[in-house]
Amino acid sequence: MQGKPGFSAPCSRLATRLPGCTHMNAYVYLALAIAAEVIATSALKASEGFTRPGPSLLVAAGYGIAFYFLSLTLKTVPVGVAYAIWSGAGIVLIALIGWVVLKQPLDLPAVLGMGLIVAGVAVIQLFSKAAAH
């Protein structure tokens, strides 16, 4: 929160309880957003078109949590950078869950494409002046 010694703006009320509210917290929020989105997307298949209440509730809650933490991330990280990381990581993680859990095959072009996504996110993080460091 602004005005509190030892904390840089912007920080959520939760983050103010943690030492050193910095850009690093934005990436913690982004990781939480990605995890929630991956859980929600994974539950979509189990919801069977929102006809099963348990998985459907998990989908709705997961996306709500994902967008909440993404909104906290956007207080510090530029929207394009945050969305590139969020969507890229989500694509790769969902494909891996589909492969491991749902036994959905991944061919070489799919693996190469996901490798390019990971490389693109790495380039943004390592070399872009648009990324918050």
Side-chain angles (χ1 to χ4, degrees):
M1 291 175 64
Q2 288 181 328
K4 277 195 165 184
F7 296 99
S8 63
C11 297
S12 72
R13 280 181 249 155
L14 171 65
T16 59
R17 295 185 185 115
L18 303 173
C21 182
T22 63
H23 289 296
M24 186 54 98
N25 284 340
Y27 287 100
V28 171
Y29 295 149
L30 185 55
L32 291 170
I34 292 165
E37 186 264 336
V38 167
I39 290 167
T41 302
S42 298
L44 271 173
K45 184 167 178 68
S47 77
E48 295 179 10
F50 290 99
T51 60
R52 296 184 58 217
S56 297
L57 183 61
L58 186 58
V59 170
Y63 283 128
I65 292 166
F67 284 113
Y68 171 73
F69 281 111
L70 183 60
S71 74
L72 295 180
T73 302
L74 297 179
K75 290 180 178 182
T76 307
V77 179
V79 68
V81 172
Y83 193 74
I85 296 168
W86 185 54
S87 60
I91 289 167
V92 172
L93 291 170
I94 290 299
L96 290 174
I97 288 170
W99 179 56
V100 172
V101 176
L102 302 174
K103 308 297 183 217
Q104 297 171 343
L106 290 176
D107 58 9
L108 182 61
V111 172
L112 290 174
M114 285 185 282
L116 290 171
I117 291 169
V118 171
V121 169
V123 166
I124 290 169
Q125 282 302 300
L126 296 173
F127 303 110
S128 174
K129 291 182 177 143
H133 293 286

